[in-house]
């Protein structure tokens, strides 16, 4: 019999490497760890892995079990590197389910993202925790990539924003970037922007964290993080109340050519920043942003 998933010739003769066997192994406690590792390594090569994982008997339960079994290690922080690797392999398989168009809605309707929220809530800076946060954010990041308003509604209703803000405050540069990307995707949605701008507390909670990340970038620059921060600010400026508030709380470095010079090679972000400064009423600063690579302002909407 050939493997129903991979149809590969020689590989399929070795039963322990067959994808269908590996999926079955997920429900066998003795073989589970190896199966998690092998499947997560191979997941990119098999486009139909996600529906197979979802619809096979006991598989999703076996993945969720990997998650809940480490909850007791979160507080006080006791997770080891190998424990973290193992649960991250399970998360990689869930990310595959979250990304697939056929299983994304089922994944949401089963409330599976909620199982990851305790990982986003942890603030330990130890590597196993940082890796766990980053991988969990990757699953949420995969969900928001597709611009589905149902995803955004789900995330708002389950209060993901305070969790993202927490990582944006305390995470590594990479997990900050993914968390900011998620907030950016929420803001770009109409309901998401309205939600964040619905109260001053929410707006300032987001604004304060964005601003402290900008201050942090003065010491340790990161163009990819700055790009998402600028896009978040620009989108906030689409809301009337937020736009007025941004006049008072746009962080100083965003108005300083010495700081924003790092965006020199990124014309898109330069344009976003210049538009943000125009929207916030800093016309003179807008003209200075990346002056050498931006056309003098016909493209900017005043
Ligand atoms: N329950 C809080 C609220 O609705 C959730 C929250 C905390 C929040 N911090 C936030 C929402 C920041 C948006 C932004 O306000």
């Amino acid at each position: 019999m050939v493997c129903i998933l991979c149809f590969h010739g020689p590989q399929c003769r070795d039963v322990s490497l067959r994808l269908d066997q590996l999926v079955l192994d997920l429900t066998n406690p003795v073989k589970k760890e190896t199966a998690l590792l092998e499947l997560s390594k191979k997941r990119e090569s098999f486009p139909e892995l996600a529906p197979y994982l979802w619809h096979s008997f006991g598989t999703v339960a076996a993945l969720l079990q990997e998650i809940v079994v480490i909850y007791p290690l979160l507080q006080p922080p006791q997770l080891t590197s190998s424990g973290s690797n193992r649960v991250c392999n399970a998360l990689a398989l869930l990310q595959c389910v979250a990304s697939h168009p056929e299983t994304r809605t089922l994944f949401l309707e089963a409330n599976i993202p909620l199982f990851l929220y305790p990982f986003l809530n942890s603030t330990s800076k130890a590597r196993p925790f940082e890796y766990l946060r980053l991988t969990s954010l990757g699953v949420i990041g995969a969900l928001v990539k597709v611009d589905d308003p149902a995803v955004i509604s789900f995330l708002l209703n389950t209060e993901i924003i305070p969790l993202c803000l927490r990582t944006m405050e305390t995470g590594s540069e990479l997990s900050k970037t993914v968390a900011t990307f998620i907030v950016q995707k929420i803001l770009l949605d109409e309901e998401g922007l309205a939600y964040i701008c619905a109260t001053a507390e929410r707006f300032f909670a987001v604004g304060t964290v964005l601003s402290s990340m900008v201050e942090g970038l003065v010491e340790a620059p990161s163009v990819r993080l700055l790009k998402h921060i600028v896009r978040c600010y620009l989108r906030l400026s689409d809301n009337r109340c937020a736009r007025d508030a941004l006049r008072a709380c746009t962080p100083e470095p965003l108005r300083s050519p010495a700081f924003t010079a790092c965006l020199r090679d990124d014309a898109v972000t330069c344009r976003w920043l210049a538009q943000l400064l125009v929207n916030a009423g800093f016309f003179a600063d807008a003209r200075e942003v990346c002056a050498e690579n931006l056309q003098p302002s016909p493209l900017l909407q005043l």
Side-chain angles (χ1 to χ4, degrees):
M1 196 177 82
V2 290
C3 169
I4 54 171
L5 282 167
C6 61
F7 307 108
H8 283 173
Q11 213 185 18
C12 282
R13 261 175 243 133
D14 182 347
V15 85
S16 67
L17 292 175
R18 281 173 33 175
L19 228 54
D20 55 348
Q21 184 59 48
L22 288 171
V23 171
L24 280 178
D25 289 350
L26 288 175
T27 51
N28 176 342
V30 180
K31 299 186 171 171
K32 192 173 186 181
E33 181 158 14
T34 311
L36 282 170
L37 179 64
E38 290 303 319
L39 281 170
S40 66
K41 277 199 283 191
K42 294 179 181 179
R43 68 187 192 278
E44 310 279 352
S45 338
F46 303 105
E48 291 315 302
L49 180 59
Y52 192 76
L53 289 171
W54 186 265
H55 294 291
S56 53
F57 181 79
T59 305
V60 174
L63 296 176
L64 293 179
Q65 197 242 343
E66 285 299 305
I67 290 174
V68 299
V69 82
I70 67 154
Y71 286 166
L73 308 179
L74 297 178
Q75 202 52 259
Q78 289 165 321
L79 188 62
T80 61
S81 299
S82 70
S84 177
N85 287 343
R86 179 170 166 150
V87 66
C88 287
N89 289 334
L91 292 176
L93 297 181
L94 289 176
Q95 174 166 341
C96 167
V97 174
S99 307
H100 196 286
E102 241 177 76
T103 49
R104 187 179 68 245
T105 308
L106 299 164
F107 182 80
L108 273 188
E109 285 173 352
N111 289 319
I112 295 184
L114 289 178
F115 283 87
L116 314 187
Y117 288 14
F119 301 156
L120 301 180
N121 207 19
S122 77
T123 49
S124 166
K125 287 193 192 279
R127 272 187 69 105
F129 286 88
E130 178 51 37
Y131 184 41
L132 182 58
R133 271 196 301 273
L134 180 62
T135 311
S136 305
L137 288 166
V139 179
I140 312 291
L143 281 174
V144 297
K145 255 192 195 144
V146 290
D147 295 323
D148 177 353
V151 168
I152 305 298
S153 275
F154 176 92
L155 297 177
L156 295 177
N157 290 332
T158 54
E159 301 214 341
I160 191 127
I161 294 191
L163 296 174
C164 287
L165 295 180
R166 185 169 280 226
T167 297
M168 288 155 70
E169 276 171 325
T170 62
S172 66
E173 183 265 346
L174 190 52
S175 58
K176 278 183 169 137
T177 303
V178 182
T180 310
F181 170 75
I182 294 167
V183 170
Q184 172 191 324
K185 295 299 265 185
I186 290 174
L187 281 167
L188 288 171
D189 176 270
E190 288 307 322
E191 187 196 354
L193 179 65
Y195 172 92
I196 287 178
C197 298
T199 68
E201 288 77 11
R202 289 179 184 178
F203 170 80
F204 284 111
V206 174
T208 305
V209 173
L210 288 173
S211 154
S212 73
M213 282 197 298
V214 171
E215 300 294 342
L217 290 180
V218 174
E219 299 298 316
S222 158
V223 174
R224 65 177 172 180
L225 176 53
L226 184 56
K227 182 185 181 97
H228 294 296
I229 297 173
V230 167
R231 190 66 188 92
C232 286
Y233 273 117
L234 174 59
R235 176 59 175 162
L236 283 169
S237 75
D238 285 341
N239 176 282
R240 270 303 279 278
C241 299
R243 181 183 292 220
D244 293 339
L246 284 173
R247 265 181 247 285
C249 67
T250 298
E252 210 51 50
L254 292 185
R255 300 173 51 193
S256 144
F259 175 74
T260 58
C262 67
L263 295 174
R264 204 180 311 110
D265 298 325
D266 187 339
V268 171
T269 310
C270 280
R271 216 158 259 134
W272 288 342
L273 178 58
Q275 185 67 55
L276 163 68
L277 294 175
V278 166
N279 292 355
F282 303 115
F283 302 103
D285 295 327
R287 272 190 292 277
E288 295 297 313
V289 169
C290 320
E292 78 257 43
N293 80 349
L294 273 190
Q295 306 291 327
S297 64
L299 289 170
L300 297 181
Q301 294 156 16
L302 289 159

